[in-house]
Amino acid sequence: MLRSEVKQAQRRAAEMLAGAGVVLTAEEAGRIEVAGFGLGRLEEQGLELITYVNTDRYCAKDLVLFPGQTCPEHLHPPVNGEPGKMETFRCRYGSVYLYVEGEAAETIQAAVPPGSRDHYTVFHEIVLQPGEQYTIPPGTKHWFQGGPEGAIVSEFSSTSRDEFDIFTDPGVVRLPVIVEDGA
Amino acid sequence: MLRSEVKQAQRRAAEMLAGAGVVLTAEEAGRIEVAGFGLGRLEEQGLELITYVNTDRYCAKDLVLFPGQTCPEHLHPPVNGEPGKMETFRCRYGSVYLYVEGEAAETIQAAVPPGSRDHYTVFHEIVLQPGEQYTIPPGTKHWFQGGPEGAIVSEFSSTSRDEFDIFTDPGVVRLPVIVEDGA
C-alpha cells in the first residue's frame, strides 16, 4: 500500500469518527491503522482501526468501515495456552453486516467481494445498528462489512494479537507493508 | 435511594450520553446503574454506569458523572488469585479530575466532598479532556470527579467484580438499595 493511500484512508476514517462524536487526539489520528490485508483493494477489502489500549488482560479499539468495505474472514486461535481472542462488537454509527459460523442466512445483505468468493465460507448473519452489539466467541470464523453509510464499531476484547489471526484467504497479509511515495 | 431518584438520574445520564453521540438501546437506558454508595447524597457522591459487556476476560462500561459529582475513593483488590481489576479511563465528553496514589498535587482542581474529607487520601492529579485516557494499575487507590460540564468516561478493563471493591469510607455501600416509591 502506498503511503499516500494510507494517509487518505486515515483522514477519511478520522472524519467519520469526528462526525460520530468520537474524539481522537492528534497523535491518535496520526496512527490510525489502515489494513489492506495485502490484497491491493482497500476500498473493497480493508479496515481502519484505532487501538486505545491493549494490555495482557484486555483490549479496546474503534473500527471504521467505509461503505461496503469488508474485513476478510478470519478467526482468532489459542495463543500460548490461552483461549483465542473473544471480542464484542458494538455498533456506534452506520450499520454493520456481521457473519459468523452457524446456520447460514438464505440470502445475505452484504455483497461478498467479487473475485474472493471462495474465501468467504460462513454466512450466519447478524446486522448491527447503533447501540446494538454482539460477542464473537474465541476460535469462531467471522467477517463483516460496512453498510451503505459505512460503520463505526467499538471492539471490546481480550488481549489482541493480530499477528496470529488465521485468514481463510491464503493471500491475506495481516500486518501492513507500506511503500513510501513522498506523501 | 428512592426509585424516583434512580429514574431521574437515569434520565439525566441518558440525555448526557445522547448529547455526546453515545447511542443506547431502550433496554440499556432502562438499566443504567445509579450508584449512590449508600451515602444519601447522589449529586455529590455518586456515579451512573452502563455496562456493555462483562465476561470472565474483559469488561466495558460508559461512566457518567454529573457536574461536580464524585466517585468515592476505592481500590480493586485481587480476587480468586487474579490481580485486581486494571482499568483504562477514556474521557469522551466534558472533563474528569482523577486522583491516584503518587506525588500529591499542591492544590487540586476538584473539590473534596465536604463532610467526607477523611475518606479522601490520594491526590496525584490527572485531568482528562475528551480523547485523553489513563490506565489505573490493579490495587491502586483512586477517586474521580466530573468537571463543570460533567463527564462521560469509557472504561475498558479486566473483569469487573464491583462487590469486592474496597472503599476508604467505611460508610460506603457499593451495591444500591432501592426503595420503591411508586415512581
Side-chain angles (χ1 to χ4, degrees), chain A residues 28 52 57-58 84 90 133, chain B residues 28 52 57 84 90 133:
Chain A
E28 289 170 334
Y52 296 124
R57 301 176 75 185
Y58 58 87
R90 181 176 178 86
Q133 64 181 48
Chain B
E28 288 169 335
Y52 296 125
R57 302 176 74 185
R90 181 176 179 87
Q133 63 181 48

Side-chain angles (χ1 to χ4, degrees), chain A residues 45-84:
Chain A
Q45 293 186 76
L47 181 65
E48 292 69 42
L49 311 90
I50 175 74
T51 299
Y52 296 124
V53 62
N54 187 21
T55 77
D56 60 351
R57 301 176 75 185
Y58 58 87
C59 179
K61 307 180 181 184
D62 273 339
L63 315 179
V64 178
L65 292 157
F66 301 142
Q69 195 182 32
T70 303
C71 177
E73 184 176 295
H74 63 285
L75 62 81
H76 307 288
V79 176
N80 297 333
E82 259 186 68

Side-chain angles (χ1 to χ4, degrees), chain A residues 21-25 28 52-53 55 57-58 60 62 82-84 86-88 90 92 130-131 133 135 138 156-158, chain B residues 20 22-25 28 52-53 55 57-58 60 62 82-84 86-88 90 92 130-131 133 135 138 156-158:
Chain A
V22 177
V23 182
L24 299 189
T25 63
E28 289 170 334
Y52 296 124
V53 62
T55 77
R57 301 176 75 185
Y58 58 87
D62 273 339
E82 259 186 68
M86 174 191 277
E87 53 194 23
T88 301
R90 181 176 178 86
R92 296 288 189 179
Q133 64 181 48
T135 297
F156 313 126
S157 73
S158 57
Chain B
V22 178
V23 181
L24 299 188
T25 64
E28 288 169 335
Y52 296 125
V53 61
T55 76
R57 302 176 74 185
Y58 57 89
D62 273 339
E82 260 186 69
M86 173 190 278
E87 52 194 23
T88 301
R90 181 176 179 87
R92 297 286 190 180
Q133 63 181 48
T135 297
F156 313 126
S157 74
S158 57

Side-chain angles (χ1 to χ4, degrees), chain B residues 111-160:
Chain B
V112 174
S116 296
R117 298 202 153 271
D118 290 354
H119 309 310
Y120 290 81
T121 68
V122 300
F123 300 102
H124 183 72
E125 183 174 73
I126 297 121
V127 181
L128 299 177
Q129 306 289 344
E132 297 177 340
Q133 63 181 48
Y134 185 85
T135 297
I136 304 165
T140 303
K141 280 185 194 162
H142 58 284
W143 62 280
F144 48 98
Q145 185 172 91
E149 300 166 63
I152 295 173
V153 176
S154 290
E155 181 192 281
F156 313 126
S157 74
S158 57
T159 306
S160 191

Side-chain angles (χ1 to χ4, degrees), chain A residues 127-164:
Chain A
V127 180
L128 298 177
Q129 307 289 344
E132 297 177 339
Q133 64 181 48
Y134 185 84
T135 297
I136 303 165
T140 304
K141 280 185 194 161
H142 59 285
W143 62 278
F144 48 98
Q145 184 172 92
E149 299 165 63
I152 295 173
V153 176
S154 290
E155 182 191 280
F156 313 126
S157 73
S158 57
T159 304
S160 192
R161 298 180 177 95
D162 297 336
E163 66 278 23
F164 293 103

Side-chain angles (χ1 to χ4, degrees), chain B residues 11-40:
Chain B
R11 277 194 297 269
R12 190 174 170 193
E15 276 166 22
M16 279 179 65
L17 289 163
V22 178
V23 181
L24 299 188
T25 64
E27 181 272 327
E28 288 169 335
R31 65 172 169 83
I32 291 174
E33 183 186 345
V34 177
F37 302 102
L39 299 173

Side-chain angles (χ1 to χ4, degrees), chain B residues 99 104-110 123 125:
Chain B
Y99 300 90
E106 279 199 31
T107 57
I108 64 168
Q109 294 189 53
F123 300 102
E125 183 174 73

Side-chain angles (χ1 to χ4, degrees), chain B residues 68-109:
Chain B
Q69 194 181 34
T70 304
C71 177
E73 184 175 294
H74 64 284
L75 63 79
H76 307 288
V79 176
N80 297 333
E82 260 186 69
K85 183 187 180 207
M86 173 190 278
E87 52 194 23
T88 301
F89 282 5
R90 181 176 179 87
C91 182
R92 297 286 190 180
Y93 165 84
S95 56
V96 61
Y97 307 126
L98 170 63
Y99 300 90
V100 298
E101 296 177 32
E103 199 184 344
E106 279 199 31
T107 57
I108 64 168
Q109 294 189 53

